[in-house]
Amino acid sequence: MFDGILVTLQIILAVIAVYQFVFSLFGMYRKKHKTQHAPEKSFAVLVAAHNEEQVVGALMENLKELNYPRELYDVFVICDNCTDRTAEIVRQHGMNACVRTNTNQRGKGFAIEWMLKKLWEMPRQYDAVVMFDADNLAHPDFLKEMNNDLCEGARVIQGYIDTKNPEDSWITASYGISYWYVNRLWQLSRHNLRMANFLGGTGMCFETNLLKEMGWGATSLVEDLEFTMRCVDRGVHPVFNYDAKLFDEKPLSFKASARQRLRWMQGHFTVARRYFFPLIWKSIKERSLVKMDMALYAVNVYIVLLTFLLAALIWADQSLFNGPHFATLYSYLPIWASFFAVGANVVTFLLAMALEKVTFKKVYLYLILFPIYLISWYPITFYAFFTQNNKQWSHTQHTRVVRLEEVQSKQG
């Protein structure tokens, strides 16, 4: 019976892996021609900030230079429990600094919910709400692209999240590789297949009427994933705009990265518990591939955990106890199948970099350390499982200012 359970679990994991691999192939092509609409929609641009005096000025300068009529968008920076000069710097740039002080409800989700309530009470109402983080930089055409999608009927839109400092360390390079892979072979593939895309925490755009109808209500450690699930559950499919690029700062050290990813996984466990079974049931009841796909994305954190535990069990049995003492899927497959599975995983990352025409030279040198970054997800997820009730928000420290011109010049 134990052998049967183990092999069954491995078969399920293998089927999910093949499913994801097949889906990724649909991201290899990209439509280059799409309908362009004249500027029409008005935007409230929200920036969540907690002690961001180091970087918020660069973002304010960046947002002034967008290729979109200035009268059609306003910027509101949520100065959430700040103890530095964030609000002062925002006001110096002529933007709206909205100061929030609530030490009992800390975190981006609570800050956004607070700001939206204030936004609905303002005399001016906007067609859509765009959300950035304070360490972001937006491509000049970002709002133009959001306007295009809104005019085409989209209600929730995710932009292309790129990394603004991929050459700073092997950790930032690993983030960059991961995001190029996700944007091209996860997000774009689902967009091409008219599936629902998932939100990435920044560079998001929401139709105002939808936000008023649904309410924000996403206050977990991963508010973006939580809102994604709520949308798909209601039949609203977020879309991906490949050309609406923004650049996000990534932590430099492994320790800071591990702390950030631990928070993501802790929040992911919470969302998986809350939404997996309702979505998978609705996918069966409604025969909806979209809901099934999003349910699998929600439960992905458990898939990573299960993969780690099975791999550790097999390794311990064979290395420490002179096994194998139980059956594994590998014993039923030819040896080349194992090498093919590992090779396909590696090739997809390299393929994504080739498709995205990555020109950062240091990133290619850091590729040798990229497997360490990937493997580190396993112990982080394992620890997150036992600490998933932790709701403490961790803040990413910034060490320097990067401007859009510098990012674009390095991209060639």
Side-chain angles (χ1 to χ4, degrees):
M1 182 180 291
F2 184 67
D3 285 357
I5 293 173
L6 282 181
V7 172
T8 300
L9 287 175
Q10 291 174 70
I11 290 174
I12 292 172
L13 292 175
V15 169
I16 293 174
V18 171
Y19 167 82
Q20 294 289 6
F21 177 74
V22 171
F23 254 62
S24 70
L25 299 178
F26 289 90
M28 294 182 66
Y29 71 94
R30 177 171 70 92
K31 286 183 179 180
K32 295 187 178 180
H33 301 288
K34 58 183 181 182
T35 304
Q36 298 292 323
H37 293 268
E40 172 187 332
K41 304 296 183 179
S42 59
F43 296 92
V45 179
L46 306 189
V47 180
H50 171 68
N51 290 344
E52 303 285 5
E53 64 179 7
Q54 180 79 2
V55 294
V56 73
L59 176 60
M60 296 300 99
E61 294 172 8
N62 171 235
L63 294 178
K64 292 177 187 177
E65 303 300 321
L66 296 180
N67 294 333
Y68 203 73
R70 190 64 186 84
E71 67 274 11
L72 287 179
Y73 71 96
D74 291 317
V75 178
F76 302 89
V77 180
I78 315 166
C79 304
D80 186 39
N81 293 294
C82 291
T83 56
D84 65 354
R85 297 178 55 248
T86 297
E88 179 186 340
I89 293 171
V90 169
R91 293 188 184 109
Q92 286 175 356
H93 284 276
M95 304 299 190
N96 302 289
C98 306
V99 178
R100 174 183 182 264
T101 304
N102 187 330
T103 56
N104 295 322
Q105 293 183 327
R106 301 172 65 88
K108 185 175 171 183
F110 289 112
I112 291 172
E113 191 163 49
W114 174 85
M115 187 65 230
L116 289 176
K117 289 179 181 177
K118 289 196 166 295
L119 201 62
W120 306 154
E121 295 170 356
M122 293 181 182
R124 181 181 185 182
Q125 294 296 294
Y126 303 87
D127 295 312
V129 175
V130 167
M131 297 182 189
F132 290 120
D133 288 340
D135 59 356
N136 292 169
L137 295 171
H139 188 281
D141 290 337
F142 191 91
L143 290 185
K144 182 180 176 182
E145 290 295 335
M146 294 296 112
N147 177 73
N148 287 336
D149 280 351
L150 289 169
C151 289
E152 290 291 318
R155 306 191 75 187
V156 181
I157 310 157
Q158 174 61 56
Y160 184 116
I161 304 176
D162 208 339
T163 306
K164 73 178 183 183
N165 59 330
E167 293 187 302
D168 281 359
S169 71
W170 73 274
I171 283 293
T172 61
S174 297
Y175 272 100
I177 295 167
S178 299
Y179 274 78
W180 293 318
Y181 167 80
V182 167
N183 281 310
R184 188 66 192 236
L185 301 182
W186 276 47
Q187 294 279 50
L188 186 58
S189 60
R190 281 160 176 75
H191 178 74
N192 288 338
L193 292 170
R194 299 186 181 277
M195 304 281 282
N197 288 100
F198 49 88
L199 299 173
T202 186
M204 306 176 290
C205 178
F206 307 89
E207 183 191 63
T208 296
N209 289 337
L210 178 68
L211 278 177
K212 289 181 177 179
E213 176 188 326
M214 289 180 59
W216 179 244
T219 54
S220 69
L221 292 176
V222 284
E223 74 292 328
D224 49 350
L225 179 62
E226 187 177 0
F227 197 84
T228 303
M229 298 301 156
R230 291 182 60 212
C231 284
V232 174
D233 184 59
R234 295 170 65 98
V236 177
H237 299 168
V239 303
F240 176 63
N241 190 311
Y242 181 93
D243 298 305
K245 292 197 173 185
L246 67 141
F247 302 89
D248 187 38
E249 183 178 334
K250 300 305 176 186
L252 299 178
S253 68
F254 181 83
K255 182 178 180 181
S257 165
R259 185 168 58 246
Q260 183 186 65
R261 289 184 286 152
L262 175 62
R263 173 175 61 82
W264 289 348
M265 292 298 98
Q266 288 168 336
H268 207 137
F269 275 115
T270 301
V271 172
R273 289 199 316 269
R274 190 176 300 169
Y275 291 98
F276 172 69
F277 286 109
L279 277 176
I280 202 70
W281 170 245
K282 283 190 175 182
S283 73
I284 296 170
K285 187 178 179 181
E286 301 172 13
R287 298 179 182 178
S288 171
L289 180 59
V290 173
K291 285 187 170 63
M292 186 200 74
D293 181 65
M294 198 52 66
L296 288 178
Y297 184 71
V299 83
N300 189 56
V301 66
Y302 281 100
I303 293 171
V304 174
L305 176 64
L306 189 56
T307 301
F308 173 64
L309 294 176
L310 285 172
L313 178 64
I314 294 171
W315 175 84
D317 177 56
Q318 296 186 0
S319 301
L320 303 179
F321 301 102
N322 300 316
H325 294 101
F326 47 78
T328 66
L329 183 61
Y330 299 104
S331 61
Y332 296 97
L333 298 173
I335 189 66
W336 62 263
S338 300
F339 288 106
F340 176 80
V342 174
N345 190 44
V346 173
V347 167
T348 52
F349 285 101
L350 295 175
L351 176 63
M353 293 177 68
L355 290 170
E356 295 304 272
K357 299 177 182 178
V358 176
T359 58
F360 296 104
K361 294 179 181 179
K362 280 188 179 180
V363 171
Y364 287 96
L365 295 176
Y366 286 134
L367 269 172
I368 193 171
L369 297 174
F370 183 58
I372 298 174
Y373 171 83
L374 292 179
I375 293 170
S376 68
W377 280 100
Y378 291 117
I380 288 171
T381 304
F382 182 75
Y383 184 65
F385 176 76
F386 294 100
T387 59
Q388 58 186 278
N389 291 324
N390 174 39
K391 306 301 181 185
Q392 183 176 359
W393 183 268
S394 59
H395 179 247
T396 301
Q397 298 296 325
H398 307 294
T399 57
R400 65 188 181 92
V401 179
V402 180
R403 287 179 166 78
L404 187 62
E405 297 79 13
E406 182 181 349
V407 177
Q408 291 177 325
S409 65
K410 285 188 176 181
Q411 286 184 325

PDB file of all heavy atoms in Angstrom, residues 201-219:
ATOM      1  N   GLY A 201       1.460  41.568  -7.761  1.00  0.00           N
ATOM      2  CA  GLY A 201       1.729  42.426  -6.623  1.00  0.00           C
ATOM      3  C   GLY A 201       2.026  43.866  -6.965  1.00  0.00           C
ATOM      4  O   GLY A 201       1.902  44.757  -6.122  1.00  0.00           O
ATOM      5  N   THR A 202       2.432  44.139  -8.195  1.00  0.00           N
ATOM      6  CA  THR A 202       2.690  45.502  -8.640  1.00  0.00           C
ATOM      7  C   THR A 202       2.461  45.570 -10.141  1.00  0.00           C
ATOM      8  O   THR A 202       2.371  44.532 -10.810  1.00  0.00           O
ATOM      9  CB  THR A 202       4.123  45.937  -8.285  1.00  0.00           C
ATOM     10  OG1 THR A 202       4.299  47.314  -8.609  1.00  0.00           O
ATOM     11  CG2 THR A 202       5.165  45.111  -9.038  1.00  0.00           C
ATOM     12  N   GLY A 203       2.323  46.783 -10.688  1.00  0.00           N
ATOM     13  CA  GLY A 203       2.023  46.903 -12.110  1.00  0.00           C
ATOM     14  C   GLY A 203       0.652  46.373 -12.454  1.00  0.00           C
ATOM     15  O   GLY A 203       0.426  45.891 -13.563  1.00  0.00           O
ATOM     16  N   MET A 204      -0.279  46.494 -11.501  1.00  0.00           N
ATOM     17  CA  MET A 204      -1.631  45.968 -11.682  1.00  0.00           C
ATOM     18  C   MET A 204      -2.602  47.112 -11.978  1.00  0.00           C
ATOM     19  O   MET A 204      -2.444  48.215 -11.474  1.00  0.00           O
ATOM     20  CB  MET A 204      -2.101  45.230 -10.427  1.00  0.00           C
ATOM     21  CG  MET A 204      -1.163  44.147  -9.952  1.00  0.00           C
ATOM     22  SD  MET A 204      -1.706  43.379  -8.385  1.00  0.00           S
ATOM     23  CE  MET A 204      -1.432  44.716  -7.209  1.00  0.00           C
ATOM     24  N   CYS A 205      -3.615  46.819 -12.780  1.00  0.00           N
ATOM     25  CA  CYS A 205      -4.642  47.810 -13.114  1.00  0.00           C
ATOM     26  C   CYS A 205      -6.019  47.187 -12.907  1.00  0.00           C
ATOM     27  O   CYS A 205      -6.256  46.048 -13.328  1.00  0.00           O
ATOM     28  CB  CYS A 205      -4.479  48.266 -14.561  1.00  0.00           C
ATOM     29  SG  CYS A 205      -5.727  49.462 -15.114  1.00  0.00           S
ATOM     30  N   PHE A 206      -6.907  47.938 -12.251  1.00  0.00           N
ATOM     31  CA  PHE A 206      -8.245  47.441 -11.938  1.00  0.00           C
ATOM     32  C   PHE A 206      -9.295  48.448 -12.391  1.00  0.00           C
ATOM     33  O   PHE A 206      -9.161  49.653 -12.112  1.00  0.00           O
ATOM     34  CB  PHE A 206      -8.407  47.219 -10.428  1.00  0.00           C
ATOM     35  CG  PHE A 206      -7.351  46.352  -9.812  1.00  0.00           C
ATOM     36  CD1 PHE A 206      -6.180  46.918  -9.321  1.00  0.00           C
ATOM     37  CD2 PHE A 206      -7.515  44.982  -9.720  1.00  0.00           C
ATOM     38  CE1 PHE A 206      -5.195  46.127  -8.748  1.00  0.00           C
ATOM     39  CE2 PHE A 206      -6.537  44.185  -9.152  1.00  0.00           C
ATOM     40  CZ  PHE A 206      -5.367  44.763  -8.665  1.00  0.00           C
ATOM     41  N   GLU A 207     -10.306  47.959 -13.042  1.00  0.00           N
ATOM     42  CA  GLU A 207     -11.454  48.802 -13.372  1.00  0.00           C
ATOM     43  C   GLU A 207     -12.103  49.266 -12.065  1.00  0.00           C
ATOM     44  O   GLU A 207     -12.344  48.454 -11.162  1.00  0.00           O
ATOM     45  CB  GLU A 207     -12.452  48.014 -14.210  1.00  0.00           C
ATOM     46  CG  GLU A 207     -13.656  48.818 -14.658  1.00  0.00           C
ATOM     47  CD  GLU A 207     -14.729  47.927 -15.255  1.00  0.00           C
ATOM     48  OE1 GLU A 207     -15.257  47.076 -14.517  1.00  0.00           O
ATOM     49  OE2 GLU A 207     -15.030  48.102 -16.444  1.00  0.00           O
ATOM     50  N   THR A 208     -12.373  50.545 -11.951  1.00  0.00           N
ATOM     51  CA  THR A 208     -12.916  51.094 -10.710  1.00  0.00           C
ATOM     52  C   THR A 208     -14.244  50.452 -10.324  1.00  0.00           C
ATOM     53  O   THR A 208     -14.463  50.107  -9.160  1.00  0.00           O
ATOM     54  CB  THR A 208     -13.096  52.620 -10.835  1.00  0.00           C
ATOM     55  OG1 THR A 208     -11.814  53.215 -11.010  1.00  0.00           O
ATOM     56  CG2 THR A 208     -13.756  53.201  -9.594  1.00  0.00           C
ATOM     57  N   ASN A 209     -15.126  50.283 -11.287  1.00  0.00           N
ATOM     58  CA  ASN A 209     -16.434  49.689 -10.983  1.00  0.00           C
ATOM     59  C   ASN A 209     -16.303  48.287 -10.416  1.00  0.00           C
ATOM     60  O   ASN A 209     -17.073  47.888  -9.533  1.00  0.00           O
ATOM     61  CB  ASN A 209     -17.319  49.677 -12.230  1.00  0.00           C
ATOM     62  CG  ASN A 209     -17.785  51.067 -12.630  1.00  0.00           C
ATOM     63  OD1 ASN A 209     -17.819  51.970 -11.803  1.00  0.00           O
ATOM     64  ND2 ASN A 209     -18.128  51.243 -13.892  1.00  0.00           N
ATOM     65  N   LEU A 210     -15.315  47.538 -10.903  1.00  0.00           N
ATOM     66  CA  LEU A 210     -15.105  46.186 -10.382  1.00  0.00           C
ATOM     67  C   LEU A 210     -14.623  46.238  -8.935  1.00  0.00           C
ATOM     68  O   LEU A 210     -15.089  45.464  -8.089  1.00  0.00           O
ATOM     69  CB  LEU A 210     -14.080  45.438 -11.246  1.00  0.00           C
ATOM     70  CG  LEU A 210     -13.744  44.020 -10.771  1.00  0.00           C
ATOM     71  CD1 LEU A 210     -14.950  43.099 -10.935  1.00  0.00           C
ATOM     72  CD2 LEU A 210     -12.553  43.460 -11.530  1.00  0.00           C
ATOM     73  N   LEU A 211     -13.691  47.149  -8.641  1.00  0.00           N
ATOM     74  CA  LEU A 211     -13.195  47.280  -7.268  1.00  0.00           C
ATOM     75  C   LEU A 211     -14.313  47.682  -6.317  1.00  0.00           C
ATOM     76  O   LEU A 211     -14.398  47.187  -5.190  1.00  0.00           O
ATOM     77  CB  LEU A 211     -12.071  48.308  -7.209  1.00  0.00           C
ATOM     78  CG  LEU A 211     -10.671  47.842  -7.609  1.00  0.00           C
ATOM     79  CD1 LEU A 211      -9.693  49.009  -7.558  1.00  0.00           C
ATOM     80  CD2 LEU A 211     -10.188  46.716  -6.720  1.00  0.00           C
ATOM     81  N   LYS A 212     -15.178  48.577  -6.770  1.00  0.00           N
ATOM     82  CA  LYS A 212     -16.306  48.988  -5.924  1.00  0.00           C
ATOM     83  C   LYS A 212     -17.290  47.841  -5.727  1.00  0.00           C
ATOM     84  O   LYS A 212     -17.869  47.672  -4.645  1.00  0.00           O
ATOM     85  CB  LYS A 212     -17.017  50.191  -6.548  1.00  0.00           C
ATOM     86  CG  LYS A 212     -16.218  51.487  -6.474  1.00  0.00           C
ATOM     87  CD  LYS A 212     -17.000  52.652  -7.081  1.00  0.00           C
ATOM     88  CE  LYS A 212     -16.230  53.963  -6.928  1.00  0.00           C
ATOM     89  NZ  LYS A 212     -16.955  55.113  -7.517  1.00  0.00           N
ATOM     90  N   GLU A 213     -17.446  47.056  -6.768  1.00  0.00           N
ATOM     91  CA  GLU A 213     -18.376  45.922  -6.716  1.00  0.00           C
ATOM     92  C   GLU A 213     -17.862  44.811  -5.810  1.00  0.00           C
ATOM     93  O   GLU A 213     -18.599  44.252  -4.996  1.00  0.00           O
ATOM     94  CB  GLU A 213     -18.566  45.392  -8.146  1.00  0.00           C
ATOM     95  CG  GLU A 213     -19.425  44.146  -8.268  1.00  0.00           C
ATOM     96  CD  GLU A 213     -19.385  43.584  -9.687  1.00  0.00           C
ATOM     97  OE1 GLU A 213     -19.292  44.381 -10.644  1.00  0.00           O
ATOM     98  OE2 GLU A 213     -19.430  42.354  -9.827  1.00  0.00           O
ATOM     99  N   MET A 214     -16.566  44.479  -5.947  1.00  0.00           N
ATOM    100  CA  MET A 214     -15.983  43.371  -5.199  1.00  0.00           C
ATOM    101  C   MET A 214     -15.442  43.797  -3.839  1.00  0.00           C
ATOM    102  O   MET A 214     -15.418  42.995  -2.897  1.00  0.00           O
ATOM    103  CB  MET A 214     -14.827  42.743  -6.002  1.00  0.00           C
ATOM    104  CG  MET A 214     -15.237  41.972  -7.225  1.00  0.00           C
ATOM    105  SD  MET A 214     -13.791  41.271  -8.098  1.00  0.00           S
ATOM    106  CE  MET A 214     -13.061  40.237  -6.822  1.00  0.00           C
ATOM    107  N   GLY A 215     -15.005  45.056  -3.743  1.00  0.00           N
ATOM    108  CA  GLY A 215     -14.241  45.453  -2.574  1.00  0.00           C
ATOM    109  C   GLY A 215     -12.833  44.881  -2.697  1.00  0.00           C
ATOM    110  O   GLY A 215     -12.601  43.940  -3.460  1.00  0.00           O
ATOM    111  N   TRP A 216     -11.886  45.471  -1.992  1.00  0.00           N
ATOM    112  CA  TRP A 216     -10.512  44.945  -2.080  1.00  0.00           C
ATOM    113  C   TRP A 216     -10.423  43.638  -1.315  1.00  0.00           C
ATOM    114  O   TRP A 216     -10.204  42.582  -1.893  1.00  0.00           O
ATOM    115  CB  TRP A 216      -9.517  45.983  -1.537  1.00  0.00           C
ATOM    116  CG  TRP A 216      -8.093  45.529  -1.570  1.00  0.00           C
ATOM    117  CD1 TRP A 216      -7.277  45.321  -0.494  1.00  0.00           C
ATOM    118  CD2 TRP A 216      -7.309  45.207  -2.718  1.00  0.00           C
ATOM    119  NE1 TRP A 216      -6.031  44.896  -0.904  1.00  0.00           N
ATOM    120  CE2 TRP A 216      -6.026  44.823  -2.278  1.00  0.00           C
ATOM    121  CE3 TRP A 216      -7.571  45.214  -4.093  1.00  0.00           C
ATOM    122  CZ2 TRP A 216      -5.000  44.441  -3.144  1.00  0.00           C
ATOM    123  CZ3 TRP A 216      -6.554  44.840  -4.966  1.00  0.00           C
ATOM    124  CH2 TRP A 216      -5.296  44.451  -4.488  1.00  0.00           C
ATOM    125  N   GLY A 217     -10.579  43.676  -0.022  1.00  0.00           N
ATOM    126  CA  GLY A 217     -10.684  42.453   0.777  1.00  0.00           C
ATOM    127  C   GLY A 217      -9.490  41.531   0.747  1.00  0.00           C
ATOM    128  O   GLY A 217      -9.565  40.401   1.228  1.00  0.00           O
ATOM    129  N   ALA A 218      -8.371  41.974   0.171  1.00  0.00           N
ATOM    130  CA  ALA A 218      -7.183  41.124   0.079  1.00  0.00           C
ATOM    131  C   ALA A 218      -6.140  41.656   1.050  1.00  0.00           C
ATOM    132  O   ALA A 218      -5.397  42.575   0.730  1.00  0.00           O
ATOM    133  CB  ALA A 218      -6.645  41.120  -1.352  1.00  0.00           C
ATOM    134  N   THR A 219      -6.099  41.078   2.251  1.00  0.00           N
ATOM    135  CA  THR A 219      -5.207  41.589   3.295  1.00  0.00           C
ATOM    136  C   THR A 219      -4.240  40.519   3.792  1.00  0.00           C
ATOM    137  O   THR A 219      -3.643  40.662   4.850  1.00  0.00           O
ATOM    138  CB  THR A 219      -6.028  42.128   4.476  1.00  0.00           C
ATOM    139  OG1 THR A 219      -6.940  41.111   4.930  1.00  0.00           O
ATOM    140  CG2 THR A 219      -6.834  43.353   4.071  1.00  0.00           C
TER     141      THR A 219
END
